[in-house]
Amino acid sequence: MSVLVRHAVPRVLEAMILPVAVFYVGLLLAGVTGGLVMAVVWVYGSAALRLARRETVPGTVLLAMLAITARVALALVTGDLVVYFLQPTLGVFCAGFAFLTTAGARRPLIERVTTDLVPLPGHLVGHPRMRRLFVQLSLLWGAAQFLNGTLSLWLLFSAPIQTYLIVRTAAVAVLMLVAALVTLLAFRRVLRAVQREDAPAA
């Protein structure tokens, strides 16, 4: 389990925590334009670093590059940071909807996300206990994303951007941490149950 956590944490940090931190640092140092520029540099720099290491740039990173370019362009043209933050907030609702609607699918979204974050053997992914767990986690993460989106949307339209960044980041971090902890404990319980089933009889 500790190996899975070490494998997943850097990816979550890169995708969720650091982008907001980089934007906020740029905002403090050079205002709105500085924050937007830092956000672009972060995404493009991440891709450039992978290329320099001769690693494949994932399709999700390429999509992120296109999305950040469009968001920054709209924010600069309109002069309104709400435009910049509204798109990912709406994306959170879409993610929550996707988690919930694919809960009973042959390969739910939560399975795809899990196997992207941590390498799981095929026999474990297909185990009945794991299939039930994926359904439960789909409901958990769907609800968490809807709560995340609701809180983010309320803060975006009711608080200054600086307050939005600090409060929203802290609240979402706590929410995601709780959901991740529940997920890890559930995985541990299922893994132990599967190991007991697979253990040879004495």
Side-chain angles (χ1 to χ4, degrees):
M1 183 60 67
S2 61
V3 174
L4 300 182
V5 173
R6 287 197 299 270
H7 186 86
V9 166
R11 288 157 177 76
V12 174
L13 185 65
E14 180 183 9
M16 297 178 59
I17 306 300
L18 290 180
V20 176
V22 167
F23 175 87
Y24 190 62
V25 169
L27 183 68
L28 292 177
L29 295 177
V32 172
T33 302
L36 295 175
V37 169
M38 289 285 282
V40 172
V41 169
W42 170 261
V43 174
Y44 277 83
S46 176
L49 183 60
R50 284 184 168 89
L51 290 175
R53 293 175 175 173
R54 297 186 177 183
E55 299 174 356
T56 301
V57 179
T60 52
V61 173
L62 296 176
L63 290 175
M65 292 167 63
L66 293 174
I68 196 72
T69 301
R71 289 169 57 198
V72 168
L74 285 173
L76 290 175
V77 169
T78 62
D80 188 357
L81 277 180
V82 170
V83 175
Y84 178 80
F85 288 108
L86 183 59
Q87 183 268 332
T89 301
L90 296 178
V92 168
F93 283 109
C94 291
F97 182 76
F99 280 129
L100 294 176
T101 55
T102 64
R106 185 179 65 84
R107 193 182 181 199
L109 178 60
I110 192 68
E111 177 187 333
R112 297 173 184 269
V113 173
T114 301
T115 52
D116 282 344
L117 289 174
V118 292
L120 294 175
H123 75 277
L124 179 60
V125 173
H127 195 281
R129 287 183 180 273
M130 187 61 71
R131 306 311 304 171
R132 289 194 295 272
L133 177 62
F134 283 140
V135 173
Q136 296 165 359
L137 293 181
S138 293
L139 300 178
L140 170 67
W141 282 95
Q145 292 293 64
F146 271 101
L147 184 56
N148 174 1
T150 301
L151 175 63
S152 300
L153 204 59
W154 175 70
L155 286 171
L156 184 60
F157 287 104
S158 64
I161 289 298
Q162 289 84 349
T163 303
Y164 166 84
L165 288 171
I166 295 173
V167 176
R168 188 257 180 189
T169 301
V172 169
V174 171
L175 176 64
M176 295 298 104
L177 182 62
V178 171
L181 181 60
V182 172
T183 299
L184 287 173
L185 292 175
F187 262 110
R188 176 180 292 181
R189 174 177 53 81
V190 169
L191 287 174
R192 287 178 175 174
V194 172
Q195 288 171 351
R196 285 196 300 267
E197 290 179 3
D198 294 342

